[in-house]
Amino acid sequence: MKGGCVECFIILGFLWAEITLGFGVDVQISEVKCIEEERQALLKFKHGLLDPENLLASWDSLEDCCKWKGIGCSNQTGHVIQLSLPGQNMVFFQSEYYISAPNLQGEISFSLLGLQHLTYLDLSSNNFSGKPLPAFLGSFPKLQHLSLYNTDISGAIPRQLGNLSSLIYLDLSGNYKLTEVHSLDWLSQLYSLEKLNMAGVNLSQAVNWPDKVNRLPSIIDINLAYCQLSMPMPPVLPNANSSSTLSSLDLSSNYLSSSIFPWLFNYTSLVDLMLYSNELRGPIPDAFGRMNSLRTLALYQNQLQGGVPKSFWNLCTLSSLHLGYNNLSGQLSEFMSNTSGCMADSLELLYLDKNKFTGPLPDNFGNMSNLIVLSVVGNFLEGVVSETHFSNLSKLQDLFLGSNSLSLNFSFAWKPPFQLDTIQLGSCKMGPAFPKWLQSQNMFTKLDISDAGISDTVPPWFWDITPRLDHLNMSWNQLHGKVPDLSSPKVATFSNNIDLSHNLFEGPIPPFPSNVGAIFLSSNRFSGSISFLCALTKGLLNVLDLSNNMLSGDLPDCWIHFKQLSVLSLSNNNLSGEIPSSMGSLILIQILRLGNNSFVGKLPLSLQNCKNVDNP
Ligand SMILES: *[C@@H]1O[C@H](CO)[C@@H](O)[C@H](O)[C@H]1NC(C)=O
Ligand SMILES: *[C@@H]1O[C@H](CO)[C@@H](O)[C@H](O)[C@H]1NC(C)=O
Ligand SMILES: *[C@@H]1O[C@H](CO)[C@@H](O)[C@H](O)[C@H]1NC(C)=O
Ligand SMILES: *[C@@H]1O[C@H](CO)[C@@H](O)[C@H](O)[C@H]1NC(C)=O
Ligand SMILES: *[C@@H]1O[C@H](CO)[C@@H](O)[C@H](O)[C@H]1NC(C)=O
Ligand SMILES: *[C@@H]1O[C@H](CO)[C@@H](O)[C@H](O)[C@H]1NC(C)=O
Ligand SMILES: *[C@@H]1O[C@H](CO)[C@@H](O)[C@H](O)[C@H]1NC(C)=O
Ligand SMILES: *[C@@H]1O[C@H](CO)[C@@H](O)[C@H](O)[C@H]1NC(C)=O
Ligand SMILES: *[C@@H]1O[C@H](CO)[C@@H](O)[C@H](O)[C@H]1NC(C)=O
Ligand SMILES: *[C@@H]1O[C@H](CO)[C@@H](O)[C@H](O)[C@H]1NC(C)=O
Ligand SMILES: *[C@@H]1O[C@H](CO)[C@@H](O)[C@H](O)[C@H]1NC(C)=O
Ligand SMILES: *[C@@H]1O[C@H](CO)[C@@H](O)[C@H](O)[C@H]1NC(C)=O
């Protein structure tokens, strides 16, 4: 997120997904004592594990293994039917998994075979350090639930998994060293399988995977994201028909490079379809209009062309439509020419960003009265956006109109019906007066009104900005006047960027919130010293650009606080004096510009080798 481009929030926001482990499966508390052979099997299993945090303490202290942590027994037979020892929760961010702290390490001992009545096995988010997925895991005839998510297992998936004929739930995701070498043959034997998650597993050799996956008669949810799938799609799959129960299909972040495959449209039961981050080409087929259970359609980051089919308006349940980062074109008014279909009521998230749409923003956007996010950033839209566009959008939270050629024309007294969180209007012309309607918005966390043709002072009410603000970009306007103290807690606590560069601001640089990450004030008329810096003791600053101002005086000697600083530009000011030795502590500095000042002396030794330095 460095550099803080607002468009990125769209994509990142969508990719964040917290994956929680530990299912609410009832561990039956029973009076039955466990069976001695199974107790021994469990103790041998434990013997193969490293348990630095002593999580399995109860396994030593209690006689009855049915009462051990993670163990569930049948109240009728006393057999161990559940072994559930998932590690910590973790998060999935872009293509990477981060673990907080794996609980158990070691290996999955084959002594587990002593637990032949097991129906539920969850060892996810423990660390088996690259050991292979043991083939004996295919030998549990009653197993319904198997989760080895994110366990750092590796090697080939043993085809013996196909023997798990009772399996309903299989999660092998997050194991990037795991490879499929049997073309998923074993998969088609899993007749009861409802949920399959292999996200991140290397399926590059699974050539006819669509056919294998389509043969699962009970399947509801398939996740094959980040699987290195590359095979061009076959046009016909006999088993893809409307009697299928498939509800969620995620093939995102692969190398699929065909046009959108026709058999998909036979899955009329699909609710969530994720095909983003592939290389899909051609038009978006009209046939999407037949998928009348669809709730989420994510096609962003492909190379799709043409317009948005009008058949989408027939979809009464569609709530998220993500078409950003493609090569779509045509007038938006064409797609919006008849908005009387159901989708006008159901749509909540609409992303059309980074395409080649042209023409004005159609008036009847206002018909989608449940819209929460609207993004058309980075197209070729032109014309005037007025308050009638928004009159019914009372639920809108995130508005992205930037990087088009739009003008905003709101009446001075306009009171919008919404409270926005993200306001991205960079390059939308809205001047010369400072936009008064912003005064009604007191929840926003991101604001970009850069390059907006505003030639005004910033009204005092504005600086009372929301304390949650983490991105403020007002650069490339003609804003003038002084900037007040921004450090007081009642004002902003910027945790990220503030960009006021390329304006006409004057007077001293004000105090900033102590957790600010990047300050861009270049090309203004700021004067006085830069002593404000020494109050930023939290050390979170990574970019400071004060170039092209009228700053003067000595450099302060508090650089010891700025270990995170990677860009420091002070060039073209009237700063003077010696370079303080504490600057030597800028260990992460990549760009250092001090030119066109009146410094004397030398750079600290540690900075002299830094590449991007323009010396004083
Ligand atoms: C602010 O907006 C300008 C122009 O729209 C852009 O060049 C700049 O990178 C933005 N600043 C930040 C910190 O994102
Ligand atoms: C097992 O015992 C629990 C609690 O004693 C009870 O709620 C449950 O119904 C029992 N299950 C069976 C299958 O008898
Ligand atoms: C698993 O443990 C090994 C050392 O046994 C370590 O190198 C590796 O980073 C750990 N993996 C994770 C995901 O923590
Ligand atoms: C398990 O699968 C393997 C290979 O698929 C097969 O040869 C074997 O007979 C199966 N074992 C059982 C017990 O079904
Ligand atoms: C995936 O597997 C193929 C074939 O086994 C191998 O060539 C490729 O390097 C693997 N990819 C990764 C990222 O490990
Ligand atoms: C859709 O399903 C029908 C059978 O219900 C089948 O004849 C047809 O080939 C399928 N279409 C595609 C594109 O797979
Ligand atoms: C439809 O798909 C199911 C499995 O999903 C299959 O059992 C059935 O034979 C298919 N029907 C047709 C007509 O292809
Ligand atoms: C985008 O689509 C246009 C036609 O609309 C085509 O000429 C161009 O090559 C496409 N660009 C890419 C990167 O696919
Ligand atoms: C807006 O949508 C409603 C149905 O939700 C429809 O009746 C109406 O005609 C639409 N208005 C316009 C201008 O398309
Ligand atoms: C608009 O679409 C609806 C159904 O989606 C249709 O009934 C109506 O005739 C269309 N109106 C026009 C003017 O095309
Ligand atoms: C806003 O909603 C009202 C009432 O539902 C409707 O009459 C009006 O046409 C809508 N405005 C727009 C721009 O769709
Ligand atoms: C802006 O709106 C006002 C009244 O709402 C109108 O008189 C004026 O022509 C509009 N300006 C532009 C550039 O559209």
Side-chain angles (χ1 to χ4, degrees), residues 38-39 41-42 80 83 111-118 140:
E38 297 188 348
R39 187 169 172 278
L42 284 168
V80 172
L83 175 54
S111 65
L112 273 191
L113 276 177
L115 307 173
Q116 276 298 298
H117 296 265
L118 217 49
F140 294 92

Side-chain angles (χ1 to χ4, degrees), residues 185-261:
D185 288 339
W186 52 275
L187 195 59
S188 31
Q189 292 161 249
L190 303 181
Y191 302 112
S192 309
L193 199 64
E194 294 179 5
K195 191 172 159 99
L196 171 67
N197 190 347
M198 296 180 59
V201 175
N202 186 344
L203 298 187
S204 60
Q205 289 184 62
V207 281
N208 49 353
W209 61 267
D211 189 48
K212 297 294 160 47
V213 162
N214 271 282
R215 284 173 196 278
L216 296 169
S218 312
I219 198 73
I220 293 172
D221 184 342
I222 300 175
N223 187 341
L224 301 179
Y226 298 102
C227 286
Q228 304 182 47
L229 299 173
S230 61
M231 170 189 170
M233 292 293 161
V236 175
L237 280 179
N239 284 350
N241 62 50
S242 53
S243 64
S244 162
T245 46
L246 188 63
S247 146
S248 174
L249 178 62
D250 188 344
L251 300 175
S252 62
S253 305
N254 282 296
Y255 304 108
L256 305 176
S257 59
S258 57
S259 56
I260 294 181
F261 7 111

Side-chain angles (χ1 to χ4, degrees), residues 25-43:
V25 169
D26 294 323
V27 177
Q28 293 166 352
I29 302 159
S30 64
E31 295 308 313
V32 272
K33 284 222 159 95
C34 75
I35 291 161
E36 183 56 25
E37 291 77 21
E38 297 188 348
R39 187 169 172 278
Q40 291 305 326
L42 284 168
L43 286 174

Side-chain angles (χ1 to χ4, degrees), residues 127-144:
N127 184 353
F128 299 116
S129 317
K131 297 203 177 62
L133 173 54
F136 68 77
L137 283 182
S139 309
F140 294 92
K142 297 184 177 164
L143 200 63
Q144 296 178 353

Side-chain angles (χ1 to χ4, degrees), residues 292-305:
N292 48 25
S293 304
L294 214 53
R295 182 179 59 198
T296 307
L297 177 61
L299 299 177
Y300 62 87
Q301 278 180 343
N302 278 292
Q303 293 153 27
L304 299 167
Q305 292 183 23

Side-chain angles (χ1 to χ4, degrees), residues 169 319 440 535:
Y169 180 107
S319 88
S440 69

Side-chain angles (χ1 to χ4, degrees), residues 412-575:
F412 185 72
W414 183 46
K415 291 267 186 316
F418 46 65
Q419 277 294 339
L420 296 178
D421 177 66
T422 300
I423 307 176
Q424 209 290 34
L425 304 174
S427 86
C428 294
K429 296 296 173 265
M430 62 184 91
F434 194 86
K436 166 84 174 156
W437 64 273
L438 283 180
Q439 193 171 7
S440 69
Q441 304 298 300
N442 42 41
M443 313 267 277
F444 61 85
T445 63
K446 303 180 204 322
L447 175 66
D448 183 349
I449 48 171
S450 62
D451 188 21
I454 306 172
S455 174
D456 199 353
T457 55
V458 179
W461 55 257
F462 177 80
W463 295 117
D464 234 355
I465 11 191
T466 145
R468 289 164 58 229
L469 192 67
D470 67 23
H471 183 96
L472 174 64
N473 193 344
M474 307 208 289
S475 64
W476 297 96
N477 285 294
Q478 292 178 29
L479 295 165
H480 42 94
K482 290 183 179 163
V483 180
D485 183 346
L486 296 175
S487 69
S488 113
K490 120 176 171 5
V491 191
T493 55
F494 304 98
S495 57
N496 204 336
N497 299 322
I498 175 167
D499 189 344
L500 305 180
S501 63
H502 299 273
N503 279 292
L504 304 170
F505 286 115
E506 61 192 14
I509 296 182
F512 281 91
S514 58
N515 52 352
V516 65
I519 300 176
F520 301 86
L521 301 179
S522 64
S523 301
N524 277 288
R525 297 173 179 172
F526 286 109
S527 56
S529 80
I530 60 172
S531 56
F532 75 97
L533 268 181
C534 296
L536 302 179
T537 51
K538 288 211 178 137
L540 300 178
L541 200 64
N542 63 68
V543 180
L544 178 65
D545 185 355
L546 305 178
S547 59
N548 299 313
N549 278 291
M550 295 161 2
L551 300 165
S552 56
D554 290 351
L555 291 182
D557 194 9
C558 54
W559 300 97
I560 190 91
H561 298 314
F562 299 108
K563 296 224 159 60
Q564 300 292 323
L565 201 64
S566 64
V567 177
L568 173 63
S569 181
L570 302 174
S571 50
N572 296 318
N573 280 291
N574 302 322
L575 297 162

